[in-house]
């Protein structure tokens, strides 16, 4: 039944990466014909016919070598959902099962939902034909399927090609343990019962004696087996021997010389190594598997195997190294406790001591030297081997047996001789490095040899057909150190991938040409300059204990005379510590430059790259060697003198330099004499060094997460254990201050609960409210016991356990008589879900808030910050966001609330984009403090004058403090003593008030004529607080008078003064060590856009401070964090990773937010949107079934008014080929579509002619190539025309996440296949950016056949797919959205719309000439934050010619 051909044929290899097009899906090929005939468009699921399964599907796939393109075609034809799975039963044939496996593997490889990635995945699509729903509804059938697959994995009669697919399925299953159905089937395969396969009872007993829990589990497994009937016993025996059988077969495969020659055998063994590594990298699967792997001595057998030694097995060897890393990872397999380096080596020393005791008892005469050696010298080395050579075969076997080693195997291929036994014994003595020791020596500045090493090149060429030797980010981690190690390895590889691509692209743009024996650059790149060889200025001797030089200084002279001023300034403004790349390029003949494969020489030679060295900028100098000022002033005459040279002083990578000089005698000279190009990267891309250093320092340190969060972070225990309901320090009551607008708002915020006023109040009352949640019986809610529960067990909702809310109030203090003293209050009427999120965020613990588009995530975050700020004056809060845009949006709302601006601080370079009057950067805050100090000192002088106090009291903060102590406080004390007697009436209190003159400048009288005594005292209390605030502010400002150094002032502000500190996740990663070293501490972390941030960038903000000593009965250190609030939306885009290998295979795009959701951590879903028209929100409501609309979008006029000139508020426009062409790809992944670009620009011009402001229009594309093309078309037709101008933004969908605009024009670009839009996350982002109008340009036939997109496009396709316009309207229109205006004027294509706009433009121009119209006002718009990225300006040459055609008016 299985394919007998061991290797793929040439046609299959060519089809491997081929992706089905629309023509394939709708064509007459065999698979499309079979699909239409058998299962497509059938009302009922057809009965599976074995003839079709075998002859029409399996045989054809087998004939094609199971080419990936053919499998992907079948997957898109819905063979699994429409035919294979509905027709599966226990009687299904093996061919049927294997086809299911093949398609499931394709789905995983394409990152498509298979059996549901996380608990809420089944809510994504309500259609009954999704695989996730089918698994839920047919769990028994899935169990049958899984058992059949297990049997087939150990069936040696199947071909290795088929068994490789089966192992790939098992890998996917064990990576999806968050799914209860899958977990139920996988768990028995790695249970303690597999210890039946250990080689001896003594070996097993030694392991059981290490932990009482193990003995208990072993006895329970034995009882379960003894009590079972015979069929169940057979099943249990199979489960406990399955993995052991698989590994024994693997040993045969790698040891058999005949099988080693097979490529299919190599691929199978690689996948099995990946599977074993996955088992070892998660604690629940590792607990018992690790003992079995070590007992089998699998690693040494792999190392000695013919397959490992075979040429071309580099990936196999790398995978074995990764398996070895996890096998010897320093952790207790049962408790999960990570060992320190000292503890780990002590455990190994104890093992060696045991061996010495055995030797002394029975082999002292033969192994006397080994018995008396110090433990540090006993290792897997030649000396130790020579000692053991003196033993006879019997003695050697007996020693191994006494030492607890397995030396016999039921294998037919493994050569079980003395050499194997000796190697097993020596391997058991080997001292392995810990991950900290190995990571400490890994360079973070790349060289050419690192960038082009075989493993990194394999990662760059990844297509999913084979595994990779890189760690994966899983649901669970072995320890914090394991998580950090994986993150470092992956981010280092991703950074090096980006650097290599950047250097190669830059060198290509420079166009190196061979002229004689030298290289000349004929091209240009603003990021590179040709240079002469760098001059080595200084080589400092190594520091104590190091072998590399302390520093190597070099000078590079830049010829900048031909650069324009903008490019030259970019080079001049290089900052200290910026990394640049010194490249030696040697151009070669084209005939010699076509390398193929993964070898370093071929890959680098193809681009002419000979050497790459890194250096850090120390200083930029002018041609005379003088340091350049950061801001050079322009000459008074306005003429800028021509600059010829600039000098850059560099700090060369000392590790690479040391290696160069230790090589051949002329190596170092050759390297640096060959350097002829300096390459830089843009600042926002060039932070890799500081980020990697931060991750490495964290890996080498002992930085924990807070103890209350650690288990949840690692993925173990109860997922709800870190929520406030389970924590002992949760708040009994919360002052919600201005969160609720009135009593009615309070009532509607707690549906299903009883709101009871406090005993002092008999009826309803206004805010502020203090809420205390009580249980139904009236007692305070007790924390649930920390009892281990199953992950799939439903947690009881808080609302079901807590029925009563006690409400009390208080009178807010009078803050002062001036209008500026009045507190700024919240005006948002929060929904019940938002109130739940605010309440959870205010409480200590972990809060996960899921915010669909437009549901007020930023408002919720702002109110949480406001509540924490006022309820906990001594606590400090760290705000993190992925982008400067999101952080600035958050800051704009924070400054509008009642938060003292002196406590706000914004770190990073995005602060200049913040549109506020005050500056919130460190230096801006310092200046603000000093400015406020001058203002407050002026108030002190006025106060002194008002009471007749002689002297210069407002000279400084110090004199003001003295004035307060001597004059003001005594007066207040004397006055309050009089008031406290209670004998004076209101008029007497007013008369005795000592500060009448000071408050005489109020806009209205301080006291009203008929004020009561209580009112008067309240007013005076406000006056007291106003004056007290002056001196408290000056007290805070005083350190800035004393500190002279601006850096000291800024650091004091960060460490002591600021209470709300905001930065991007990238800034936190770059500056982690610097910030922690200052002694910075904080109590709360709130992350916006948490689902867009990589997991390590989620983690670093939790570790920006050093741990503190515990002050309770526990010893050790802990992080003082009290709250972690993650706000995001995992249904939208995940973090963007450039390399597909790290994004898909290693799961580097995983965010901590998504992982917590998958683990089952309780979330709060915001459920009411107030951004978009209800009709537009329906386009993405399929993704959020519970999403409702806020009243404002139902009643506000802007949402009820129609879009002027358009029949519909949203529409999908089917754009046909333009001039016979659809999509084009001028360079890989750079997809363009001129027809859609022209259509988008014509639509924009039409809207501008109707009066739509350009700032309210954004144009989005799904590909960077299309964005570049649209920008060029806009520049060609609109930029210099006052009638049109430029839209607010032209961007890609990915970069526009988190932003919005009133009107969105969206180009889907693809005309042959859906491409990236098959990702539901990206589609969700694309459909949710518009508030009032969304016009989508695309090819209908492409998207209507994709089942994943059906729910989204179903509504779009209910309307006409040709653009419908309404004539005779201008913006704004009085037409209501639902007014009947007929079907409107139909635009039949690009040319039709272009001609229509052309005629409108002519009419508009004529009207302006006659004085009957005005030009629109000029608008300042931002084209996008990524103008220079992704090859903007690279256009297909044929398309560029077409731009000159008059589709629209020029």
């Amino acid at each position: 039944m299985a394919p007998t051909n061991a290797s793929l044929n040439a046609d299959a290899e060519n089809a491997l990466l081929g992706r089905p097009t629309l023509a394939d899906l709708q064509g007459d090929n065999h698979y499309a014909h079979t699909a239409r005939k058998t299962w497509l468009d059938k009302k009922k699921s057809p009965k599976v016919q074995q003839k079709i399964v075998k002859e029409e599907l399996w045989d054809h796939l087998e004939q094609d070598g199971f080419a990936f393109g053919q499998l992907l075609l079948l997957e898109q034809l819905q063979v699994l959902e429409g035919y294979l799975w509905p027709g599966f039963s226990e009687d299904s044939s093996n061919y049927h099962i294997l086809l299911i496996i093949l398609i499931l593997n394709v789905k995983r490889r394409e990152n498509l939902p298979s059996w549901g990635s996380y608990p809420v995945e089944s809510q994504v699509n309500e259609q009954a034909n999704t695989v996730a729903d089918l698994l839920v509804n047919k769990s028994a059938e899935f169990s049958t399927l899984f058992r059949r697959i297990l049997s087939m994995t150990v069936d040696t009669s199947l071909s290795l090609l088929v068994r490789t697919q089966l192992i790939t399925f098992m890998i996917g299953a064990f990576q999806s343990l968050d799914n209860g159905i899958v977990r139920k089937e996988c768990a028995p395969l790695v249970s303690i019962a597999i210890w039946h396969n250990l080689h001896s009872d003594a070996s097993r007993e030694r392991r059981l004696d290490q932990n009482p829990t193990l003995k208990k589990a072993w006895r329970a497994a034995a009882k379960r087996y003894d009590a079972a009937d015979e069929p169940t016993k057979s099943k249990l025996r199979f489960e406990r021997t399955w993995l052991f059988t698989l590994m024994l077969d693997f040993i045969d495969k790698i040891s058999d010389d005949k099988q080693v020659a097979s490529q299919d055998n190599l691929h199978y063994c690689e996948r099995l190594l990946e599977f074993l590594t996955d088992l070892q990298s998660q604690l629940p699967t590792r607990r018992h598997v690790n003992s079995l792997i070590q007992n089998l001595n699998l690693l040494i057998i792999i190392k000695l195997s013919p397959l490992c030694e075979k040429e071309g097995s580099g990936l196999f060897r790398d995978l074995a190294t990764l398996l070895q890393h996890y096998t010897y990872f320093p952790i207790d397999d049962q408790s999960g406790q990570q060992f320190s380096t000292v503890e780990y080596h002590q455990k190994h020393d104890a093992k060696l001591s045991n061996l010495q005791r055995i030797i002394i008892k029975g082999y002292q005469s033969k192994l006397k030297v080994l018995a008396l050696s110090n433990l540090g010298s006993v290792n897997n080395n030649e000396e130790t081997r020579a000692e053991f050579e003196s033993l006879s075969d019997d003695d050697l076997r007996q020693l191994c047996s006494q030492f607890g080693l397995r030396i016999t195997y039921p294998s037919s291929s493994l050569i079980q001789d003395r050499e194997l036994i000796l190697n097993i014994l020596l391997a058991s003595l080997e001292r392995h490095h810990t991950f900290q020791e190995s990571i400490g020596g890994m360079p973070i500045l790349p060289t050419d040899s690192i960038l082009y090493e075989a493993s990194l090149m394999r990662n760059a060429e990844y297509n999913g057909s084979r595994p990779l030797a890189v760690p994966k980010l899983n649901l669970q981690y072995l320890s914090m150190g394991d998580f950090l190690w994986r993150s470092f390895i992956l981010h280092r590889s991703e950074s090096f991938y980006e650097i290599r691509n950047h250097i190669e692209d830059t060198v290509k743009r420079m166009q190196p040409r061979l002229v004689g024996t030298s290289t000349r650059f004929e091209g240009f790149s603003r990021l590179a300059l040709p240079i002469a060889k760098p001059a080595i200025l200084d080589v400092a001797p190594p520091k104590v204990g190091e072998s590399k030089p302390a520093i190597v200084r070099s000078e590079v002279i830049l010829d900048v005379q031909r650069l324009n001023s903008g490019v030259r300034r970019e080079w001049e403004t290089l900052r200290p510590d910026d990394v640049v790349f010194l490249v030696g390029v040697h151009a070669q003949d084209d005939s010699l430059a076509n390398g193929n494969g993964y070898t370093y020489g071929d890959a680098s030679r193809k681009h002419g790259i000979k050497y790459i060295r890194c250096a850090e900028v120390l200083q930029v100098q002018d041609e005379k060697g003088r340091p350049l000022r950061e801001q050079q002033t322009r000459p008074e005459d306005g003429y800028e003198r021509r600059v010829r040279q600039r000098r850059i002083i560099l700090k060369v990578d000392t590790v690479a330099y040391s290696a160069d000089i230790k090589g051949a005698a002329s190596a170092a000279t050759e390297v640096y004499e060959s350097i002829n190009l300096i390459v830089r990267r843009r600042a926002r891309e060039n932070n890799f060094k500081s980020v990697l250093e931060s991750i490495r320092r964290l890996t080498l340190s002992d930085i924990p997460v807070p103890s209350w969060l650690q288990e949840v972070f690692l993925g173990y225990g109860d997922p709800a254990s870190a929520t406030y309901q389970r924590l002992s320090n949760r708040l009994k009551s919360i002052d919600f201050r201005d969160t609720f607008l009135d009593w009615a708002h309070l009532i509607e915020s707690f549906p299903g609960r009883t709101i009871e006023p406090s005993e002092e109040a008999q009826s309803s009352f206004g805010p502020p409210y203090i809420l205390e949640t009580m249980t139904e019986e009236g007692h305070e809610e007790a924390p649930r016991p920390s009892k281990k529960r199953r992950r799939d067990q439903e947690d009881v909702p808080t609302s079901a356990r807590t029925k009563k809310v006690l409400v009390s109030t208080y009178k807010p203090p009078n803050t002062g008589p001036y209008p500026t003293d009045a507190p700024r209050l919240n005006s948002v009427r929060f929904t019940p879900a938002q109130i739940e999120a605010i309440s959870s965020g205010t409480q200590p613990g972990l809060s996960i808030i899921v915010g669909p588009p437009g549901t007020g995530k930023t408002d919720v975050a702002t109110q949480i910050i406001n509540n924490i700020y006022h309820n906990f004056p001594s606590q400090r809060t760290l705000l993190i966001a992925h982008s400067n845009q999101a952080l600035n949006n958050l800051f704009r709302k924070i400054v509008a609330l009642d938060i003292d601006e002196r406590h706000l601080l914004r770190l990073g370079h995005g602060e200049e984009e913040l549109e506020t009057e005050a500056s919130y950067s460190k230096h801006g805050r310092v200046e603000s403090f000093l400015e406020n100090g001058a203002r407050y000192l002026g108030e002190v002088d006025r106060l002194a004058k008002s009471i007749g106090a002689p002297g210069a009291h407002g000279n400084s903060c110090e004199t003001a403090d003295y004035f307060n102590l001597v004059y003001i406080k005594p007066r207040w004390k004397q006055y309050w003593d009089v008031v406290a007697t209670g004998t004076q009436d209101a008029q007497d209190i007013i008369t005795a008030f000592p500060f009448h003159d000071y408050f005489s400048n109020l806009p209205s009288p301080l006291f009203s004529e008929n004020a009561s005594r209580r009112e008067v005292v309240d007013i005076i209390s406000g006056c007291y607080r106003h004056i007290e605030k002056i001196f408290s502010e000056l007290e805070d400002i005083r350190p800035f008078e004393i500190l002279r150094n601006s850096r000291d002032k800024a650091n004091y502000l960060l460490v002591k003064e600021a209470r709300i500190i905001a930065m991007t996740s990238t800034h936190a990663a770059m500056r982690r060590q610097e910030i922690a070293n200052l002694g910075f501490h904080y109590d709360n972390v709130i992350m916006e856009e948490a689902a867009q941030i990589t997991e390590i960038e989620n983690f670093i903000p939790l570790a920006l401070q050093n741990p503190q000593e515990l002050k309770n009965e526990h010893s050790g250190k802990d992080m003082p964090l009290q709250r972690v609030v993650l706000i995001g939306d995992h249904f939208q885009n995940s973090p963007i990773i450039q390399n597909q290998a790290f994004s898909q295979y290693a799961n580097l795009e995983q965010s901590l937010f998504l992982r917590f959701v998958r683990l089952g951590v309780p979330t709060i879903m915001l459920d009411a949107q107030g951004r978009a028209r209800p009709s537009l929100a329906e386009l993405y409501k399929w993704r959020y079934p519970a999403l409702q609309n806020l009243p404002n979008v139902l009643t506000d006029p802007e949402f009820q008014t129609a879009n002027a000139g358009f029949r519909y508020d949203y529409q999908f426009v089917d754009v046909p080929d333009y001039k016979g062409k659809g999509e084009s790809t001028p360079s890989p992944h750079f997809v363009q579509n001129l027809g859609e670009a022209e259509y988008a620009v014509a639509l924009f011009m039409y809207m501008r002619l109707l009066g739509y402001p350009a700032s309210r229009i954004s144009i989005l594309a799904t590909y960077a190539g299309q964005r570049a093309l649209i920008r060029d078309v806009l520049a060609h037709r609109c930029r210099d025309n006052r009638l049109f101008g430029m839209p607010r933004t032209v961007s890609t969908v990915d970069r526009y996440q988190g932003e919005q605009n009133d009107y969105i024009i969206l180009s889907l670009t693809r005309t042959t296949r859906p491409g990236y839009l098959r990702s539901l996350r990206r589609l969700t982002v694309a459909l949710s950016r518009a508030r009032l109008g969304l016009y989508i340009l695309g090819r209908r036939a492409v998207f209507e056949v994709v089942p994943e997109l059906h729910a989204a496009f179903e509504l779009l396709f209910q309307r006409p797919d040709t653009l419908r316009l309404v004539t005779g309207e201008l913006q704004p229109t009085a037409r209501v959205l639902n007014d009947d205006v007929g079907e409107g004027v139909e635009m039949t294509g690009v040319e039709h719309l272009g001609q229509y706009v052309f005629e409108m433009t002519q009419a508009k121009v004529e009207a302006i000439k006659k004085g009957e119209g005005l030009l629109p006002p000029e608008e300042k718009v931002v084209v996008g934050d990524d103008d220079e990225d992704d090859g903007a300006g690279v256009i297909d040459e044929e398309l560029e010619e077409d731009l000159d055609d008059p589709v629209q008016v020029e």
Side-chain angles (χ1 to χ4, degrees), residues 534-640:
I536 303 298
L537 302 178
D538 177 32
V539 180
K543 296 179 181 178
V544 177
E546 295 184 355
S547 58
K548 64 179 182 180
I551 189 171
V552 178
R553 292 187 180 87
S554 174
E555 180 186 62
V556 171
I557 298 177
L558 306 182
D559 182 2
V560 297
Q561 60 182 336
R562 295 184 180 181
L563 300 181
N564 65 47
S565 57
V567 176
R568 192 190 75 240
R569 287 195 189 96
E570 290 177 7
W571 285 97
E572 291 174 343
T573 54
L574 286 173
R575 295 172 295 184
D577 298 328
D578 278 355
V579 177
V580 295
F581 305 92
L582 304 176
V583 185
V585 180
H586 183 70
Q588 297 191 6
D589 294 337
D590 293 340
S591 59
L592 302 176
N594 295 321
N596 188 17
Y598 293 145
T599 63
Y600 154 60
D602 287 344
S604 59
R605 192 182 305 119
K606 183 172 63 174
H607 301 280
I609 297 171
K610 192 173 183 181
Y611 298 109
I612 298 173
R613 295 293 182 269
C614 291
E616 296 176 69
V617 175
L618 291 174
Q619 193 177 68
V620 181
Q621 302 175 346
D622 62 15
E623 59 267 34
K624 296 183 180 180
R626 297 172 299 191
L628 287 178
R629 297 190 301 271
E630 291 186 6
Q631 298 289 337
Q632 291 201 333
T633 57
R634 199 177 185 88
E636 294 181 2
D637 58 5
Y639 177 76
E640 193 168 356

Side-chain angles (χ1 to χ4, degrees), residues 1056-1070:
K1056 296 293 184 182
E1057 191 62 35
R1059 286 178 52 197
I1060 298 175
I1061 304 97
M1063 66 186 80
T1064 63
S1065 56
T1066 302
H1067 185 85
M1070 291 171 58

Side-chain angles (χ1 to χ4, degrees), residues 83 205 475 484 553 592 600 661 669 794 881 1050 1065 1422:
Y83 189 61
E205 288 301 321
L475 274 176
L484 291 167
R553 292 187 180 87
L592 302 176
Y600 154 60
I661 63 176
T669 304
E794 294 281 338
S1065 56
V1422 180

Side-chain angles (χ1 to χ4, degrees), residues 796-864:
V796 181
T798 304
S799 58
R801 298 195 305 268
T802 55
K803 297 294 186 182
K804 186 187 300 184
V805 179
L806 298 183
V807 185
S808 59
T809 189
Y810 59 92
K811 187 179 187 307
N814 189 320
T815 54
Y818 291 93
T820 55
D821 292 329
R824 299 185 293 273
L825 301 179
N826 162 60
S827 60
V828 178
R829 198 173 189 88
F830 293 111
T831 66
Q834 289 175 321
I835 291 296
E836 184 182 0
I838 292 169
S839 177
S840 177
T842 307
Q843 288 274 7
L846 173 65
S847 298
I848 308 291
I849 301 171
V850 181
T855 53
K857 295 187 291 290
T858 305
D859 288 328
V860 168
T862 304
Q863 194 60 32
I864 291 173

Side-chain angles (χ1 to χ4, degrees), residues 651-665:
K651 181 172 64 174
V652 178
D653 177 13
T654 57
V655 175
Y657 184 83
S658 177
D660 291 337
I661 63 176
K662 288 178 181 177

Side-chain angles (χ1 to χ4, degrees), residues 16 157 206 217 286 457 568 624 644 1032 1238 1241 1356:
L16 184 64
S157 67
R206 279 197 300 271
R286 172 196 179 87
M457 295 305 295
R568 192 190 75 240
K624 296 183 180 180
R644 295 183 179 276
S1032 67
E1238 291 282 12
V1241 174
L1356 290 168

Side-chain angles (χ1 to χ4, degrees), residues 118 120 123 831 833-834 836-838 840 847-858 860 864 1087-1091 1125-1132 1152-1154 1156-1158 1161-1169 1183-1187 1324:
Y118 34 86
V120 287
Q123 302 172 9
T831 66
Q834 289 175 321
E836 184 182 0
I838 292 169
S840 177
S847 298
I848 308 291
I849 301 171
V850 181
T855 53
K857 295 187 291 290
T858 305
V860 168
I864 291 173
M1087 276 190 219
E1088 263 266 43
E1089 297 181 318
V1125 181
L1126 303 181
I1127 305 173
D1129 183 5
H1130 54 289
F1131 288 120
Q1132 298 188 56
L1152 182 63
F1153 188 97
L1154 174 59
F1156 278 167
V1157 172
R1158 290 185 62 195
V1161 175
T1163 62
I1164 300 169
M1165 174 77 80
L1166 306 183
D1167 57 4
Q1169 71 89 22
R1183 194 69 157 149
Y1184 311 96
L1187 187 65
T1324 304

Side-chain angles (χ1 to χ4, degrees), residues 1242 1245-1246 1249-1250 1281 1283-1284 1365 1367 1385-1387 1390-1408 1446-1450:
M1245 296 168 70
Y1246 171 73
L1249 291 170
L1250 294 185
N1281 192 325
L1283 279 175
F1284 306 117
L1365 304 180
T1367 59
V1385 178
E1386 180 181 8
M1387 297 290 109
V1390 183
E1391 295 85 351
H1392 189 183
L1393 179 62
Q1395 182 63 31
Y1396 189 76
V1397 172
F1398 176 75
E1399 293 171 0
M1400 286 182 64
T1401 305
Q1402 287 184 318
K1404 182 81 170 180
V1405 171
E1406 290 299 321
I1408 293 174
V1447 177
Q1448 293 102 2
V1449 64
E1450 300 296 334

